Amino acid sequence: MSQGNIGVVLPDYQLATERVADEGKVYELIIIGGGPAGLTAGVYAARKRMDVLLLTQDIGGQVMLTGEIENYMGYERITGEELIARFKEQLSHQEITVQEESRVASITRGGKVFIAYTDEGYSYRARTVIIASGKRSRPLDVPGEERLVGRGVSYCAVCDAPLFAGRDVAVVGGGNSGLTAAIDLIKIANKVYVVSAHSSLPGDPVLVEQVEQTPQVDIFVFCDVQEVLGRERVTGIRIRSRQEEEERTLPVQGVFVEKGFLPNSELAQDIVKLSEDHEIIIDLGCRTSVPGIFAAGDVTTVPEKQIIISAGEGAKAALSAYNYLITTS
Ligand SMILES: Cc1cc2nc3c(=O)[nH]c(=O)nc-3n(C[C@H](O)[C@H](O)[C@H](O)COP(=O)(O)OP(=O)(O)OC[C@H]3O[C@@H](n4cnc5c(N)ncnc54)[C@H](O)[C@@H]3O)c2cc1C
């Protein structure tokens, strides 16, 4: 039996570079996003022989930030990079135009077609659209944060933890992603501070126990980060206790922001209905509030955000778009 796929080197499959996005034509479907939802939608739509344009900032989405994956069926263990290489391989066999490094800013309706406008100044037309733009980390929104991104401020412990070997770091957020980040960092960093705005760590008890029992970890609950300190690189964070209204500085060289996620739904906010959490509201067929526009994966109200769920939702959205096309003149 295979013990997983770790270490398998796959070729970098090219996604039909000979096909170029065409501003002059009306596609049957535009897919926005190249994560598990968008790539799976691409395979399903191409197999229905739909004329598809996939617009995306990158290929892989959040999966490229993931170290090892142990819950995608068919692979006991696989790295995010390898899984996306497999997705790309599968998509490379299909007739589909893929435009990478393309960020859709907005979507409008013009008669019977939808128009997707990109930040790069292009506009593309299609009879149906699938929005699969995923989600991103929620920022701290404090002074110093933006300036020091990549200079000690990180949103991905899996990616950046090794850069902080022997250093002192803070993890902001005491939910499961914060605690998982702290557990990863314990193995690498010298000292780990966990800062949570809640009165106790809100993550799963088994993770909380593991973090609490590690002597290398100091926990600050009921505290907000006020500022990330440092000129060229992070030198600390200023935190404020909600209870005692006291401030203190934690001398750290790294800050891992683990405060949850925001859906990448801004491109759709003027055309489809969003939930209070800014997720695109969909029904069981991935239909949005606008006939002809579908949505899939982490950007939607689908419960649970996982690779296998996004892939399944992408498949459903493509089949719904196909059914819409054959039943609508
Ligand atoms: C660190 C980490 C570890 C994880 N580990 C696991 C795990 O072990 N198992 C698991 O099942 N899940 C895991 N997840 C969750 C999983 O990665 C997501 O649920 C999944 O990637 C969602 O897929 P998606 O296609 O909906 O969105 P994303 O993966 O977010 O992909 C969105 C795509 O849309 C593109 N995009 C965004 N905005 C625009 C725009 N305006 N215009 C054009 N393109 C745009 C992005 O570039 C990206 O290609 C993890 C997530 C993270 C962050």
Side-chain angles (χ1 to χ4, degrees):
M1 193 178 76
S2 159
Q3 286 303 301
N5 300 277
I6 303 296
V8 175
V9 178
L10 293 169
D12 187 17
Y13 289 95
Q14 294 304 312
L15 294 175
T17 43
E18 74 278 8
R19 280 191 286 272
V20 177
D22 184 349
E23 286 189 281
K25 77 189 271 189
V26 175
Y27 289 90
E28 286 180 310
L29 169 65
I30 287 177
I31 298 168
I32 301 166
L39 298 178
T40 308
V43 169
Y44 269 74
R47 282 175 50 79
K48 287 288 188 188
R49 300 288 179 262
M50 292 166 83
D51 189 10
V52 187
L53 170 63
L54 191 151
L55 299 170
T56 185
Q57 282 177 269
D58 67 16
I59 298 290
Q62 296 167 70
V63 181
M64 294 303 276
L65 308 176
T66 308
E68 288 183 14
I69 296 159
E70 296 183 344
N71 55 5
Y72 193 81
M73 292 304 289
Y75 301 99
E76 200 176 322
R77 277 188 327 142
I78 190 165
T79 66
E81 215 176 318
E82 286 164 7
L83 184 62
I84 291 304
R86 303 246 173 216
F87 278 26
K88 269 177 89 171
E89 178 193 5
Q90 193 156 353
L91 194 65
S92 72
H93 299 305
Q94 303 297 332
E95 295 272 324
I96 176 169
T97 305
V98 178
Q99 184 78 43
E100 288 181 55
E101 294 177 24
S102 178
R103 186 181 176 280
V104 176
S106 62
I107 305 164
T108 61
R109 195 206 304 253
K112 284 187 175 176
V113 300
F114 298 104
I115 310 164
Y117 298 90
T118 72
D119 272 356
E120 299 75 36
Y122 298 102
S123 56
Y124 300 104
R125 287 161 176 71
R127 288 179 57 204
T128 59
V129 176
I130 294 175
I131 304 165
S133 47
K135 58 178 166 50
R136 62 182 185 277
S137 295
R138 186 185 290 276
L140 291 173
D141 259 340
V142 297
E145 178 187 20
E146 211 178 314
R147 188 167 43 83
L148 293 163
V149 170
R151 298 164 176 204
V153 173
S154 168
Y155 301 89
C156 180
V158 173
C159 325
D160 296 337
L163 304 174
F164 293 86
R167 305 292 181 99
D168 294 348
V169 297
V171 174
V172 184
N176 285 348
S177 53
L179 296 175
T180 308
I183 290 163
D184 283 350
L185 282 158
I186 289 162
K187 298 169 205 147
I188 296 164
N190 175 55
K191 171 117 206 142
V192 180
Y193 298 95
V194 175
V195 181
S196 171
H198 294 83
S199 53
S200 61
L201 298 178
D204 288 348
V206 61
L207 298 176
V208 173
E209 239 167 64
Q210 208 175 328
V211 168
E212 282 178 346
Q213 284 169 5
T214 307
Q216 239 172 306
V217 177
D218 276 358
I219 299 168
F220 292 90
V221 290
F222 232 28
C223 284
D224 297 308
V225 177
Q226 302 290 301
E227 188 178 357
V228 180
L229 306 168
R231 272 172 163 260
E232 297 301 318
R233 296 200 58 83
V234 170
T235 55
I237 55 172
R238 191 160 54 80
I239 63 171
R240 184 182 176 82
S241 157
R242 290 184 179 190
Q243 217 159 17
E244 295 134 25
E245 296 191 2
E246 252 178 34
E247 286 195 353
R248 63 184 298 166
T249 296
L250 305 179
V252 293
Q253 294 86 54
V255 187
F256 289 85
V257 182
E258 298 286 350
K259 286 188 49 176
F261 293 92
L262 290 173
N264 296 322
S265 57
E266 292 84 355
L267 73 157
Q269 67 191 3
D270 293 332
I271 191 155
V272 298
K273 277 196 188 141
L274 305 184
S275 70
E276 271 182 15
D277 297 328
H278 307 284
E279 293 174 335
I280 299 175
I281 298 172
I282 53 165
D283 68 8
L284 288 175
C286 296
R287 287 172 284 259
T288 69
S289 56
V290 174
I293 302 186
F294 304 83
D298 281 13
V299 73
T300 72
T301 47
V302 70
E304 308 304 341
K305 312 304 194 218
Q306 289 285 285
I307 302 166
I308 202 159
I309 293 172
S310 281
E313 291 289 299
K316 272 165 60 183
L319 297 177
S320 289
Y322 174 74
N323 287 332
Y324 173 86
L325 276 179
I326 58 173
T327 53
T328 316
S329 56

